[in-house]
Amino acid sequence: MIAEKFKNIFEPELITEIEKVANIIEVKEGNTILDIGQTVRVIPLLLTGILKISRADDAGKELLLYYVHANESCAMTFTCCMQQYPSEIKATAETDATFLAIPINKMDQWLSLYPTWKSFVMKTIRHRFNELLNTINQLAFQKLDERLINYLKEKAKATNSTLINLSHEEIANEMASSREVISRLLKKLEHDNKVLLYRNQIKLLKDL
DNA sequence: ACATTAAGTGATT
DNA sequence: AATCACTTAATGT
């Protein structure tokens, strides 16, 4: 059934274990699965949909870190849950999503029991680490306009649409910038025929 | 028609 | 690039 998806990743014994202990959880678009400060109690294995992982500063300004796609898990939860630390990050459903919730104690056991689980965990940590390095690079060296273009493209990919339903303010929040700055950059993009601007909507054009 | 919210803009730091 | 102060435009009631 659900574990069909992992046939090629995990050995059969592990799959039956997963089926035995995992709950299937469905979340609606926009729901927050895990907030900053909360303690991680389960490991999510995404089956469908996309999760958005972000971090907030002291003033509550958000910064988008990365997206989790289907068949992936969030590496932060691995590290957080192992020692039961409160979460440093916030996870919200970018789209409607379903995931398997695996109790944290299993996570530990399986590491020594199943080689495929171990390599899966290692792989997603490595993957995430690389992605984080990437975003650090962007923050450090990339100009805001390039980051914005990147952001829009990621968003388009996540929603599978070139029509983005966000206000300038929401974008500014996710990029830890300010509304006016985003407005001006978007205006410039519009002049360059890269986007079309509407109220609460942005249409991405082909040559973005 | 009016109030509310999003977006645009110039000036300042 | 951020913030402020203000204007203009779009949208809901």
Side-chain angles (χ1 to χ4, degrees), chain A residues 15-26:
Chain A
I15 289 178
T16 45
E17 274 267 348
I18 290 176
E19 287 184 321
K20 210 161 62 188
V21 301
N23 294 323
I24 298 165
I25 299 190
E26 294 180 30

Side-chain angles (χ1 to χ4, degrees), chain A residues 53 66 68 72-81 121 124-129 132:
Chain A
I53 311 299
Y66 52 79
V68 178
E72 294 179 345
S73 186
C74 176
M76 279 305 290
T77 59
F78 288 147
T79 51
C80 282
C81 80
V121 169
T124 72
I125 289 179
R126 182 165 42 83
H127 185 202
R128 273 319 145 204
F129 196 79
L132 276 181

Side-chain angles (χ1 to χ4, degrees), chain A residues 137-150 175 185 188:
Chain A
N137 260 336
Q138 290 186 11
L139 288 172
F141 304 122
Q142 233 179 49
K143 289 193 239 121
L144 192 58
D145 55 346
E146 289 170 345
R147 277 179 57 206
L148 177 61
I149 290 173
N150 239 329
M175 295 184 57
L185 290 175
K188 204 175 347 163

Side-chain angles (χ1 to χ4, degrees), chain A residues 34 44 46 50-55 62-69 72-80 87-94 124-136 138-139 151 154-155 157-158 174:
Chain A
L34 177 71
L46 242 209
I50 294 169
L51 303 184
K52 184 177 74 184
I53 311 299
S54 57
R55 172 167 181 78
E62 274 187 42
L63 174 64
L64 172 70
L65 291 179
Y66 52 79
Y67 292 106
V68 178
H69 298 268
E72 294 179 345
S73 186
C74 176
M76 279 305 290
T77 59
F78 288 147
T79 51
C80 282
S87 170
E88 303 277 333
I89 51 124
K90 183 169 140 188
T92 54
E94 177 76 21
T124 72
I125 289 179
R126 182 165 42 83
H127 185 202
R128 273 319 145 204
F129 196 79
N130 283 336
E131 280 215 344
L132 276 181
L133 278 182
N134 219 344
T135 57
I136 289 174
Q138 290 186 11
L139 288 172
Y151 173 88
E154 278 278 344
K155 204 70 175 185
K157 201 168 78 180
E174 289 212 312

Side-chain angles (χ1 to χ4, degrees), chain A residues 99-130:
Chain A
F99 61 87
L100 289 173
I102 299 169
I104 51 171
N105 58 319
K106 291 294 169 191
M107 153 100 193
D108 217 3
Q109 284 173 231
W110 292 352
L111 272 181
S112 44
L113 242 50
Y114 302 105
T116 54
W117 177 254
K118 189 172 176 179
S119 65
F120 172 75
V121 169
M122 290 306 171
K123 203 183 89 193
T124 72
I125 289 179
R126 182 165 42 83
H127 185 202
R128 273 319 145 204
F129 196 79
N130 283 336

